[in-house]
Amino acid sequence: QVQLAESGGGLVQPGGSLRLPCTASGFIFSRYSMAWYRQAPGKERELVAIIMSGGSTNYADSVKGRFTISRDNAKNTVYLQMNSLKPEDTAVYYCNAKWAGVIEYWGQGTQVTVSS
């Protein structure tokens, strides 16, 4: 059974930091590209960051220089380190796994709220 379990969300003040882990099970994690998406109220889901099976990464322009995606294949876990958080980063953050553009899995999401 495939599972993607996100955690680490919560309430943080502007300028603060959070780290979101996503632990995977039920598939060969190292072969999949892993990504973080987010969806704010009233907005479409958007790609935040992606890390390929080989380790290359890409980021949305809005988070470049502030967020870092990484993976630990030994722990079947992908991380999103979020620094210098802004109120506009408030959203539900979703973990995504994709293989060859054919197979795709989603986590249930974790809420991140940036507010003073």
Side-chain angles (χ1 to χ4, degrees):
Q1 182 180 0
V2 171
Q3 284 191 329
L4 292 175
E6 304 103 332
S7 61
L11 173 64
V12 62
Q13 291 187 342
S17 298
L18 282 175
R19 188 176 81 149
L20 307 181
C22 169
T23 301
S25 60
F27 62 95
I28 304 175
F29 178 83
S30 62
R31 296 184 182 179
Y32 282 64
S33 64
M34 299 298 299
W36 286 94
Y37 286 74
R38 67 186 180 187
Q39 187 167 19
K43 294 187 177 181
E44 293 187 355
R45 192 173 296 190
E46 63 173 354
L47 176 66
V48 175
I50 186 168
I51 183 166
M52 309 306 286
S53 57
S56 60
T57 59
N58 202 5
Y59 297 89
D61 287 343
S62 59
V63 307
K64 280 181 181 177
R66 300 189 298 122
F67 290 12
T68 302
I69 189 170
S70 61
R71 66 191 297 162
D72 185 337
N73 289 340
K75 295 182 178 180
N76 284 3
T77 301
V78 61
Y79 303 94
L80 185 67
Q81 177 67 44
M82 305 186 294
N83 299 327
S84 301
L85 282 160
K86 305 175 181 180
E88 51 263 42
D89 295 318
T90 295
V92 178
Y93 283 71
Y94 296 92
C95 181
N96 171 274
K98 190 176 295 184
W99 180 79
V102 175
I103 300 175
E104 187 172 30
Y105 305 119
W106 289 94
Q108 292 192 335
T110 184
Q111 175 71 47
V112 172
T113 302
V114 184
S115 175
S116 55

